[in-house]
């Protein structure tokens, strides 16, 4: 009908009315302005659409969904040099919502990064990930050379669903200068918690300001989320072997949590969160690394990746040592996996890429950047990793390799989602830190709540997906 | 064709472009999500119908031994958090209205002010959160530093301390009485709606009783009041680190951001729609600024007020995600985690889309009920020409 | 006078975040969070060109801007965002004002029920509707195209609701006069309602533009190649898993907020247009 053309006419006419009080000149300039604007937009649109798909003739393109670390560009360059017929897009959107929506809508990435074993398990259980088993022989992917402790990141029910390119056993970073100033000898690998506590006490200093005791330096910093060290400290476990019970209220675990609580609340060698904030204000994405960088904390616990930040601090004299141990020696292992969705459109190219990630050059590229250690147990790679000429004062790379002997991946149970576990533990431990309950009470509350959820999930498997 | 039919046809024509999009991109997905709320769907396998099981698991309770325990161990805390965080809505609306009134004056350079006040809405959200985190820091944050400074000055001499405490006590008392007054007005108006009219002077009597009660109790507890106040100044609380203060701190932050933001602009636009002739008429009748506001401004902008209220309710229930994620990490002991975060986790990290849809539709039901209440109650107040 | 004082006080607090963003964008990376308490407002070294000091290269103070620009292909991101936001805003304001007029002033069967349905859809959180919309996009073949970025945003219950409220608050005298003059519905809409609603339209334009401009999740979900990305996605590039590049992030954010600010300033004079009752004889 004539409705819509009339509408368009009406729009232009309405403009006519609204400026009827202004001079003819300004009306003209306004008209011209709008016309130019419209033309510009149309031209922009045409340009954008025309250049939206640069021709990639003859090349297979695969999409690599992973965080946008500066090293990714190097990795892509390295791969494309070797395989000129494949082009890789670094897609930084690993957000859970995006990943899931795209997978659900059948627009899968070709290679995606998954950051914890339970997510991998969840995807694998729902048959989303490609089983690389049949391709291992054909493409000669050195899966058997990966560290055995990385298995939760690699296998699910015998199928190979993920390939980690790096991993990081947790170690202690310590500030050599602060140790020297306090007259304490440097810690040696294999040292105990008692030795560590002694050193931390000597490394904690205060200053009196207007009658208030303000911390200037603290001995050690362990993130609130690293409860695994203390759960396992005296031989305890979070879950029973079959995953059906939570053992948080066992005496061994309680002892470990008590020790942790004392570090902060009794010995005061670990800063509270507000003390940490005041010594070195952290940004929105809590860079607890800042405390160590500013030499406000003498020791900190993390995987090797924080060395990336510490290297930036030129006046920081740091080194690494193993995690202090109690009756048993162990440390936490963190990693991430690259997986290929089953519905991937470019399987061969993707598998070629994944295989390349385990190659010597790529492994060394990532490891030298500082993001963990190579995941491939190869004497050649290990030897090359030991000494990085770019950072000559990092002489202790061997320690990270040695620690793999004791490294364990975090526990999880098939009967409860990791997110629920984290939510419960962090809330109850928060109450403990706020002194609203004792460590023992926190452990009992955690066990009770987790067991209740496990019972519910066993009765109604719909919750487990 | 009758005039009525022509009008309807024209209406359809006007509506058509918008409606087509609404149908395709809004209503169909919404209907699908409704169906999902009654299904079990983990995104990768086809959904299966489970009836109201999702809602029962979310909202209902069961026996555990002798006690009654909620089916979902996390949900109700998040609901409490979300509702608590919405407490600032009325204050926020009043604040934006106030600022809009100020911005409406024909002062020189008012354009500069408007732009500056709007800046926080334009700034990167991350930057704002980082800054507020700084501000709220217990040791080095500006707020606590100023409080300690003020405390040092005030409490060093009893000559200053005592009058100051009295002043604070009066302020506190007046605020409490004010709140009671507003509540009583509300109750009176509501009961009038139901049909219960109050006795003449009943309101005044109640107010006097309330006022006396408040001030007498302040007097009795004056020493306690003094001590609390001085310790507040000497060792101000850790705003984001304690369970009691975390949410109020977030509310304060939201209020500040809202002062110059969207709601203010909406009110500003609405104020333009009030014809000056109405004001002139009121002045002729001898009305002062207060009366002019209530008689002319308030009714004329009531459609906008209704809009802002409904949108604030919707946003309030669906919000808090960024703050929890980036600034507080869910807050001390889970006290700043909101429903939206739980929904996100359930849908995309636990792959439980059916359950997440149930949460979404529960939210929908709550918002719907609140909106209906607002619509019906405000029916007399919202005036359309 | 008092008003000025009060306003100025508030204005100072409103300026702080903006100033912090600029201040961060001209610092070196290790000066962003200083220890000891307090925000370090000025960078330690203010060089106009890169200088080498103590073996370290200190970038020029304006260095973060070109660095950020190059790092994420800013030009294309900017262009994309401007295109999407402009077309989307124009479309949304147009369709919303048309629909709002129908809801506000025209009578037709099912009007209030339909309006309520519009309202109701806003009450459903967007997270759960995202997958169905995505699947619709996929079926239409619109993934990774500009249609997917613009078209779903063209229909907004928010805009319709807001304009309806505003239209309903307008005095109906002018419309009646126009009707008596024999104007059709389109004429009333174009010649009476729209000019009177300039504040509301300006407001909706600003809000819608900001919505498109800052939209992160939907463009992220719907695009898969670098060329199609919009600005917020580009800025998220500076947030890595191991460390965040605050200086370049802030530089990028400052560059990114310029169009919105310009639009807002430009719209200022429309925010405060009073009702011109010039056509009405009282």
């Amino acid at each position: 009908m004539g409705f819509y053309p009339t509408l368009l006419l009406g729009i232009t006419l309405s403009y006519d009315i609204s400026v009827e009080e202004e001079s003819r000149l300004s009306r003209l300039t306004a008209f011209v302005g709008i016309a130019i604007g419209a033309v510009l937009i149309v031209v922009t649109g045409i340009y954008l659409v025309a250049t939206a798909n640069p021709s990639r003739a003859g090349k297979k393109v695969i999409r690599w969904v992973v965080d946008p670390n500066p090293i990714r560009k190097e990795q892509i360059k390295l791969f494309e040099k070797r395989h000129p017929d494949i082009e890789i897009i670094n897609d930084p959107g690993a957000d859970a919502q995006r990943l899931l929506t795209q997978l659900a809508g059948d627009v899968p990435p070709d290679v995606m990064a998954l950051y914890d074993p339970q997510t991998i398990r969840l995807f694998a259980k729902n048959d989303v990930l490609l089983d690389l088993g049949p391709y291992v022989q054909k493409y000669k992917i050195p899966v058997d050379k990966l560290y055995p402790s990385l298995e939760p990141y690699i296998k699910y029910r015998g199928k190979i669903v993920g390939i980690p390119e790096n991993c990081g056993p947790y170690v202690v970073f310590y500030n050599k200068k602060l140790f020297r100033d306090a007259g304490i000898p440097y810690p040696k690998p294999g040292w105990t918690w008692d030795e560590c506590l002694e050193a931390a006490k000597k490394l904690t200093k205060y200053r009196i300001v207007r009658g208030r005791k303000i911390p200037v330096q603290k001995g050690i910093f362990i993130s609130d989320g690293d409860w695994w060290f203390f759960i396992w400290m005296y031989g305890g476990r979070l879950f029973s072997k079959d995953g059906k019970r939570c053992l948080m209220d066992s005496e061994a675990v309680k002892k470990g949590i008590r020790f942790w609580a004392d570090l902060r609340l009794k010995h005061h060698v670990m800063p509270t969160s507000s003390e940490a904030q005041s010594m070195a204000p952290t940004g929105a994405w809590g860079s607890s690394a800042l405390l160590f960088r500013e030499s406000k904390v003498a020791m900190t616990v993390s995987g090797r990746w924080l060395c990336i930040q510490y290297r930036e601090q030129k006046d920081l004299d740091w080194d690494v040592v193993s995690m202090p141990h109690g009756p048993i020696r162990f440390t936490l292992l963190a990693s991430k996996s690259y997986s290929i969705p089953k519905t991937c459109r470019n399987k061969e190219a993707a598998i070629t890429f994944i295989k390349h990630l385990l190659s010597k050059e790529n492994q060394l590229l990532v490891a030298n950047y500082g993001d963990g250690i190579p995941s491939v147990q190869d004497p050649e790679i290990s030897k090359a990793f030991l000494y990085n000429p770019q950072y000559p004062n990092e002489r202790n790379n061997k320690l990270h390799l040695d620690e793999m002997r004791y490294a364990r991946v975090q526990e999880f149970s098939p009967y409860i989602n990791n997110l629920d576990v984290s939510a419960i533990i962090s809330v109850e431990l928060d109450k403990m830190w706020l002194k609203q309950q004792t460590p023992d009470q926190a452990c009992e509350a955690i066990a009770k709540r987790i067991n209740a959820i496990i019972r519910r999930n066993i009765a109604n498997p719909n919750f487990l997906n | 064709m009758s005039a009525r039919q022509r009008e309807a046809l024209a209406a359809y024509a006007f509506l058509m472009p918008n409606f087509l999009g609404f149908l395709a991109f809004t209503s169909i997905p919404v209907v699908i999500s409704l169906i999902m709320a009654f299904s079990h769907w983990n995104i990768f396998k086809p959904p299966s119908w489970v009836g109201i099981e999702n809602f029962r698991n979310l909202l209902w309770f069961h026996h555990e031994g002798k006690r009654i325990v909620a089916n979902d161990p996390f949900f109700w805390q998040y609901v409490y958090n979300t509702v608590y965080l919405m407490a600032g809505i009325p204050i926020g609306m009043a604040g934006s209205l106030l600022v809009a009134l100020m911005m409406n004056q024909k002062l020189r350079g008012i354009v500069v002010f408007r732009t500056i006040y709007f800046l926080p809405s334009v700034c990167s959200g991350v930057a704002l959160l980082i800054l507020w985190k700084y501000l709220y820091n217990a040791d080095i944050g500006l707020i606590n530093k100023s409080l300690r400074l003020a405390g040092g000055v005030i409490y060093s001499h009893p000559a200053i301390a005592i009058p100051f405490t009295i002043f604070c006590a009066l302020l506190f008392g007046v605020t409490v009485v004010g709140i009671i007054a507003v509540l009583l007005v509300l109750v009176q108006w509501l009961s009038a709606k139901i049909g219960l009219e109050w006795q003449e002077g009943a309101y005044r009597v109640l107010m006097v009783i309330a006022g006396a009660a408040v001030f007498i109790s302040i007097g009795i507890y004056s020493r306690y009041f003094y001590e609390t106040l001085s310790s507040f100044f000497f060792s101000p609380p850790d705003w984001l680190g304690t369970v009691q203060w975390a949410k109020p701190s977030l509310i304060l932050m939201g209020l500040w951001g809202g002062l110059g933001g969207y709601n203010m602009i909406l009110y500003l636009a609405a104020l333009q729609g009030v014809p000056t002739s109405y004001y002139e008429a009121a002045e002729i009748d001898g009305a002062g600024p207060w009366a002019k506001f209530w008689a002319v401004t308030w009714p004329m902008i009531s459609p906008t007020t209704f809009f802002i209220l409904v949108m604030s309710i919707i946003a309030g229930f669906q919000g808090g995600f960024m703050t929890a994620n980036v600034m507080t990490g869910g807050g001390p002991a889970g006290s700043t985690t909101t429903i939206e975060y739980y929904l996100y986790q359930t849908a995309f990290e636990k792959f439980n889309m059916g359950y997440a849809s149930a949460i979404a539709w529960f939210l929908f039901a709550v918002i719907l009920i609140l909106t209906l209440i607002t619509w019906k109650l405000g029916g007399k107040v919202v005036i359309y020409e | 006078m008092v008003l000025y004082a009060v306003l100025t006080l508030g204005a100072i607090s409103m300026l702080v975040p903006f100033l912090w963003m600029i201040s961060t964008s001209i610092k070196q990376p290790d000066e962003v969070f200083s220890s000891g308490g307090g925000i370090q407002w000025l960078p330690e070294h203010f060089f106009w060109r890169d200088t080498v000091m103590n073996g370290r290269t200190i970038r020029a103070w304006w260095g973060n801007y070109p660095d950020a620009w190059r790092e994420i292909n800013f030009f294309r991101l900017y262009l994309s965002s401007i295109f999407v936001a402009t077309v989307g805003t124009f479309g949304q304001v147009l369709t919303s004002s048309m629909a709002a007029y129908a809801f506000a002033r025209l009578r037709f069967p099912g009007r209030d029920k339909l309006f309520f349905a519009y309202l109701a859809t806003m009450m459903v959180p967007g997270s759960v509707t995202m997958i169905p919309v995505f699947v619709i996009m996929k079926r239409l073949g619109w993934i990774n195209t500009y249609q997917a970025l613009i078209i779903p945003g063209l229909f907004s219950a928010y805009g319709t609701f807001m304009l309806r409220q505003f239209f309903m608050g307008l005095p109906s005298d002018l419309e009646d006069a126009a009707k008596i003059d024999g104007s059709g519905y389109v004429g009333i809409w174009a010649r009476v309602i729209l000019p009177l609603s300039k504040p509301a339209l300006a407001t909706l334009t600003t809000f819608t533009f900001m919505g498109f401009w800052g939209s992160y999740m939907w463009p992220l979900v719907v695009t898969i190649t670098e060329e199609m990305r919009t600005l917020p996605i580009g800025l998220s590039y500076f947030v890595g898993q191991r460390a965040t590049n605050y200086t370049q992030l802030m530089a990028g954010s400052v560059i990114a907020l310029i169009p919105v600010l310009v639009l807002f300033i430009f719209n200022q004079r429309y925010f405060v247009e009073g009702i011109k009752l010039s056509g009405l004889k009282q």
Side-chain angles (χ1 to χ4, degrees):
Chain A
M1 288 192 276
F3 179 79
Y4 290 112
T6 322
L7 200 67
L8 258 94
L9 193 62
I11 297 173
T12 30
L13 283 180
S14 80
Y15 184 76
D16 213 32
I17 300 290
S18 61
V19 294
E20 83 186 4
E21 288 164 22
E22 298 174 35
S23 74
R24 185 154 260 189
L25 186 60
S26 71
R27 218 163 39 150
L28 197 59
T29 39
F31 259 126
V32 170
I34 292 188
I36 293 184
V39 166
L40 276 177
I41 288 291
V42 170
V43 165
T44 313
I46 296 179
Y47 166 73
L48 285 172
V49 173
T51 55
N53 284 312
S55 102
R56 295 182 160 102
K59 286 199 186 175
K60 292 218 205 67
V61 181
I62 59 176
R63 190 158 66 101
W64 183 29
V65 174
V66 71
D67 61 291
N69 261 330
I71 199 67
R72 309 291 172 212
K73 285 197 183 151
E74 304 269 340
Q75 287 182 278
I76 294 179
K77 258 200 286 208
L78 181 64
F79 178 78
E80 287 179 351
K81 215 166 49 163
R82 284 220 185 138
H83 299 258
D85 58 326
I86 304 182
E87 189 179 316
I88 303 189
I89 305 177
N90 178 7
D91 188 325
D95 189 271
Q97 181 171 14
R98 180 199 197 217
L99 208 54
L100 227 66
T101 311
Q102 289 194 336
L103 285 171
D106 198 26
V107 183
D110 298 294
V111 176
M112 58 190 191
L114 298 174
Y115 294 91
D116 78 283
Q118 211 181 48
T119 316
I120 298 172
R121 246 191 100 252
L122 213 49
F123 274 119
K125 193 166 148 200
N126 284 298
D127 211 21
V128 178
L129 303 177
L130 184 66
D131 179 8
L132 292 169
Y135 301 94
V136 167
Q137 260 227 323
K138 180 165 167 226
Y139 286 82
K140 300 208 183 33
I141 312 176
V143 179
D144 50 338
K145 284 205 179 160
L146 295 167
Y147 284 100
S149 42
L150 283 171
E151 194 183 301
Y153 285 93
I154 306 175
K155 292 220 179 114
Y156 175 75
R157 296 233 175 115
K159 297 197 220 158
I160 300 177
V161 289
I163 303 284
E165 80 173 341
N166 62 348
C167 60
Y170 275 60
V171 295
V172 168
F173 285 82
Y174 66 95
N175 188 319
K176 286 164 97 171
K177 178 164 181 301
L178 293 182
F179 267 73
R180 282 197 298 268
D181 288 347
I184 315 174
Y186 299 146
K188 294 214 176 351
W191 62 324
T192 63
W193 270 112
D194 293 328
E195 291 167 352
C196 178
L197 186 55
E198 278 310 306
K201 283 192 198 160
K202 292 199 196 120
L203 289 160
T204 302
K205 298 195 170 58
Y206 290 89
R207 169 169 78 127
I208 310 284
V209 168
R210 266 180 270 180
R212 287 173 61 239
K213 210 162 111 176
I214 301 205
V216 165
Q217 185 183 306
K218 286 277 185 176
I220 186 168
F221 179 84
I222 302 181
S223 146
D224 279 351
D226 288 338
W227 46 72
W228 296 107
F229 296 111
F230 303 100
I231 293 182
W232 294 336
M233 185 171 173
Y234 288 100
R237 288 174 58 91
L238 181 60
F239 293 113
S240 59
K241 285 249 165 55
D242 60 4
K244 285 196 183 165
R245 263 196 353 108
C246 173
L247 302 176
M248 192 82 180
D249 50 357
S250 63
E251 187 51 38
V253 175
K254 280 190 190 172
K255 223 167 143 199
I257 302 291
R258 261 181 259 148
F259 180 84
W260 191 20
D262 286 346
L263 281 184
R264 185 181 267 165
L265 302 174
K266 186 160 131 207
H267 306 292
H268 301 290
V269 295
M270 214 167 75
T272 61
S273 66
S274 60
E275 283 175 343
Q277 281 260 310
S278 63
M279 288 195 287
T282 61
W285 287 281
S287 46
S288 50
L290 202 61
L291 277 173
F292 189 75
R293 277 176 68 163
E294 302 284 326
S295 297
K296 292 295 186 340
V297 120
M299 297 184 271
T300 186
V301 171
S302 101
R304 180 162 180 259
W305 50 82
L306 281 186
C307 74
I308 302 173
Q309 290 203 34
Y310 299 155
R311 284 171 181 171
E312 280 179 15
Q313 199 81 17
K314 294 298 177 195
D315 53 354
L316 187 67
D317 191 8
W318 60 271
D319 202 348
V320 289
V321 76
S322 64
M323 274 295 289
H325 67 87
I328 324 166
R329 188 165 166 186
F330 63 83
T331 186
L332 189 61
L333 179 61
S335 178
K336 69 171 183 293
S337 255
Y338 294 120
S339 301
I340 303 179
K342 239 188 180 165
T343 48
C344 161
R345 306 282 201 266
N346 293 305
K347 291 204 180 73
E348 295 82 24
I351 300 177
T352 315
F353 181 58
I354 282 204
K355 174 186 171 201
H356 162 87
L357 291 176
L358 293 181
S359 72
K360 178 163 167 231
E361 287 77 9
N362 187 70
Q363 292 275 301
L364 286 173
L365 188 61
V366 175
N368 284 334
Y369 169 62
D371 196 1
I373 66 170
S375 54
V376 173
Q377 258 182 310
D378 182 312
E380 260 185 52
I381 298 182
S382 307
K383 194 153 148 249
F385 170 66
L386 286 181
Y387 181 68
N388 183 350
Q390 252 195 318
Y391 298 100
N393 50 333
E394 283 179 21
R395 302 197 156 279
N396 239 331
N397 287 342
K398 185 166 182 306
L399 181 86
H400 299 280
L401 295 175
D402 290 341
E403 283 297 290
M404 282 305 289
R405 261 213 319 238
Y406 307 101
R408 291 192 215 168
V409 173
Q410 56 177 285
E411 288 181 64
F412 52 86
S413 153
Y415 298 105
I416 180 172
N417 192 302
N418 233 16
L419 293 166
D420 289 341
V421 173
S422 292
I424 292 177
I425 299 185
S426 60
V427 166
E428 297 298 331
L429 288 183
D430 259 355
K431 288 198 210 154
M432 175 182 89
W433 296 126
L434 291 169
K435 301 212 188 110
Q436 285 175 359
Q437 58 185 3
T438 66
D440 285 7
Q441 287 171 328
C443 291
E444 279 159 24
I446 293 174
K448 198 162 122 207
R449 292 179 69 180
I450 291 186
N451 280 326
I453 295 189
I454 292 181
R455 275 198 303 269
R456 176 195 75 168
N457 288 349
I458 293 182
N460 184 352
N462 270 345
F463 279 106
L464 291 173
N465 292 308
Chain B
M1 240 194 290
S2 72
R4 261 294 165 81
Q5 283 177 317
R6 275 199 320 127
E7 185 171 346
L9 216 57
Y12 291 139
F14 269 104
L15 213 39
M16 200 45 56
N18 198 316
F19 184 70
L20 281 177
F22 171 75
L23 207 59
F25 300 113
T26 313
S27 51
I28 294 184
V30 162
V31 169
I32 293 181
S33 79
L34 181 60
I35 300 177
M36 284 311 125
F38 292 97
S39 327
H40 176 254
W41 186 38
N42 74 349
I43 302 184
F44 297 111
K45 304 220 163 77
S48 56
W49 184 263
V50 291
I52 60 166
E53 183 187 316
N54 285 334
F55 289 99
R56 199 156 37 91
N57 284 327
L58 183 68
L59 302 170
W60 212 239
F61 304 85
H62 63 269
H63 284 280
E64 209 162 276
K66 290 212 193 82
R67 295 171 39 223
I68 299 188
V69 163
N71 273 347
D72 185 318
F74 304 106
F75 185 62
W76 293 108
Q77 186 192 17
Y78 300 153
V79 172
Y80 171 68
N81 289 346
T82 314
V83 173
Y84 192 133
L85 286 172
M86 285 170 57
I89 289 182
I91 310 175
M93 283 171 64
S96 344
L97 183 53
L98 203 63
V99 177
L101 285 169
M102 289 199 279
M103 293 294 182
N104 200 20
Q105 310 298 319
K106 292 201 181 3
L107 294 173
R108 280 214 321 178
I110 199 73
V111 177
V112 176
F113 276 114
R114 273 190 230 130
T115 314
I116 294 183
Y117 271 70
F118 195 64
L119 270 181
S121 310
V122 158
C123 277
S124 138
V126 166
L128 288 173
L129 293 174
I130 296 178
L131 279 176
W132 275 93
K133 214 172 167 190
Y134 251 127
L135 212 62
Y136 276 131
N137 186 308
D139 284 313
I140 59 166
L142 203 60
I143 296 182
N144 281 10
K145 262 192 183 168
S146 325
L147 282 175
R148 268 183 234 122
L149 200 65
V153 165
I154 293 174
Y155 286 93
S156 51
H157 304 291
I160 309 179
I162 297 186
F164 178 75
T165 316
I166 296 181
F167 173 71
C168 283
L170 283 174
L171 209 61
F172 178 70
V174 166
T175 321
V176 172
V177 169
I179 295 179
I180 297 182
V182 170
L183 282 172
L184 280 178
V185 167
L186 218 62
V187 170
Q188 185 180 34
W189 181 66
L190 275 170
S191 48
K193 288 235 150 218
I194 310 181
L196 284 143
E197 285 292 342
W198 281 28
Q199 290 247 325
E200 284 268 345
Y203 183 77
R204 234 169 278 175
V205 170
L206 278 168
M207 278 312 301
V208 169
I209 297 178
V214 167
F215 281 103
I216 292 178
S217 37
I218 290 184
I220 296 178
Y221 288 105
S222 56
R223 177 160 198 97
Y224 175 71
F225 191 78
Y226 180 85
E227 273 159 20
T228 322
L229 204 60
S230 64
S231 71
F232 181 77
F233 276 91
F234 275 125
S235 50
D238 180 3
W239 300 101
L240 293 176
T242 50
V243 177
Q244 309 94 291
W245 289 107
K247 288 193 276 279
S249 311
L250 291 186
I251 295 180
L252 196 64
M253 180 176 85
L255 284 180
W256 174 85
L259 271 187
Y262 293 99
N263 290 343
M264 192 274 275
I265 304 286
L266 282 170
Y267 269 133
L268 196 60
L271 286 173
Q272 309 314 310
V274 185
T276 35
S277 49
Y278 287 29
Y279 285 119
E280 288 158 13
E283 262 178 27
I284 293 175
D285 283 346
W290 183 256
K292 266 201 286 193
F293 176 78
W294 284 109
V296 180
T297 318
W298 180 253
M300 290 301 291
I301 59 173
S302 48
T304 308
T305 306
F306 176 67
F307 174 73
I308 293 183
L309 185 61
V310 172
M311 296 313 299
S312 299
I313 293 178
I314 295 180
F317 272 108
Q318 298 182 6
F321 186 74
M322 258 255 110
T323 326
N325 232 14
V326 169
M327 188 175 172
T328 61
S335 61
T336 55
T337 316
T338 54
I339 302 180
E340 183 70 14
Y341 183 70
Y342 190 51
L343 200 149
Y344 181 90
Q345 249 195 0
T346 310
F348 302 112
E349 291 176 359
K350 295 194 210 166
F351 298 10
N352 203 338
M353 206 60 190
Y355 197 67
S357 303
I359 299 178
W361 280 89
F362 170 72
L363 275 185
F364 168 83
V366 170
I367 298 177
L368 187 68
I369 294 176
L370 283 177
T371 309
L372 279 176
I373 294 180
T374 316
W375 201 327
K376 286 287 180 274
L377 278 186
K380 296 273 165 53
V381 179
V382 179
I383 295 174
Y384 303 111
E385 284 279 310
Chain C
M1 239 337 96
V2 180
L3 199 56
Y4 264 123
V6 170
L7 280 179
T8 318
L9 216 61
I12 296 179
S13 74
M14 300 282 166
L15 269 178
V16 168
F18 183 64
L19 292 177
W20 186 79
M21 279 173 73
I22 297 191
S23 133
T24 307
S25 65
I26 60 177
K27 288 187 199 158
Q28 307 300 314
D30 53 359
E31 288 173 337
V32 175
F33 297 108
S34 68
S35 55
I39 305 179
Q40 184 185 354
W41 287 104
L42 292 174
E44 204 175 308
H45 306 284
F46 213 81
F47 296 129
W48 284 87
R49 24 191 64 241
D50 297 350
T51 327
V52 180
M53 240 181 69
N54 294 339
R56 284 169 62 195
T57 319
I58 304 210
R59 197 92 170 79
W61 66 268
W62 45 263
N64 286 317
Y65 286 88
D67 287 348
W69 186 274
R70 260 175 291 138
E71 185 77 17
I72 58 174
N73 193 5
F74 234 97
F75 178 66
R76 191 172 172 105
L77 289 173
Y78 228 99
L79 232 51
S80 273
S81 280
I82 290 187
F83 177 67
V84 169
T86 313
V87 175
T89 306
F90 179 73
Q92 199 196 104
V93 173
L94 189 64
T95 64
S96 293
S97 57
M98 282 164 58
Y101 176 60
F103 280 125
R105 285 289 192 244
L106 302 177
R107 281 159 304 181
F108 56 94
R111 178 183 76 171
D112 285 334
K113 290 205 193 65
L114 187 61
F115 180 69
F116 204 76
Y118 264 68
L119 213 57
T121 59
M122 278 197 292
M123 303 179 193
V124 181
S127 321
V128 294
T129 53
M130 190 170 275
I131 294 189
V133 183
F134 185 79
V135 171
I136 295 179
M137 291 287 124
K138 174 87 170 47
R139 293 283 163 82
L140 290 169
W142 281 355
I143 297 292
N144 209 42
T145 61
Y146 282 104
Q147 296 90 294
L149 288 174
I150 301 178
I151 296 191
L154 286 184
F155 314 99
S156 157
Y158 179 90
T160 313
F161 185 19
M162 182 188 132
L163 287 181
R164 173 205 185 245
Q165 296 303 99
F166 195 84
F167 289 169
M168 287 180 94
L170 293 176
S172 46
D173 319 5
L174 275 181
E175 291 166 59
D176 296 338
K179 265 198 221 150
I180 293 174
D181 282 348
S183 178
Y185 289 114
V186 176
I188 299 180
W189 178 75
R191 290 160 163 272
V192 178
I193 300 276
L194 283 193
L196 285 183
S197 321
K198 275 198 269 199
L201 288 176
T203 310
L204 186 61
T205 310
T206 312
F207 289 179
T208 312
F209 189 86
M210 286 175 72
F212 272 105
W213 191 257
S215 169
Y216 172 71
M217 191 42 86
W218 178 250
L220 185 68
V221 165
V222 135
T223 60
I224 57 182
T225 58
E226 214 176 286
E227 288 79 19
M228 295 299 297
R229 290 191 200 141
T230 55
L231 211 40
I233 304 176
L235 287 177
S236 76
Y237 188 84
F238 293 116
V239 181
Q241 188 196 15
R242 301 299 184 206
T244 306
N245 193 338
Y246 281 108
T247 46
Q248 288 183 2
L249 176 62
M250 287 303 139
S253 304
V254 169
I255 305 178
L257 65 75
I258 294 178
V260 183
L261 213 53
V262 164
L263 182 72
F264 181 76
I265 297 179
F266 175 74
N267 271 341
Q268 282 282 348
R269 66 184 168 126
Y270 295 106
F271 282 143
V272 282
E273 296 248 329
I275 290 191
K276 297 202 175 68
L277 295 178
S278 51
L280 193 67
K281 305 269 194 308
Q282 289 263 306

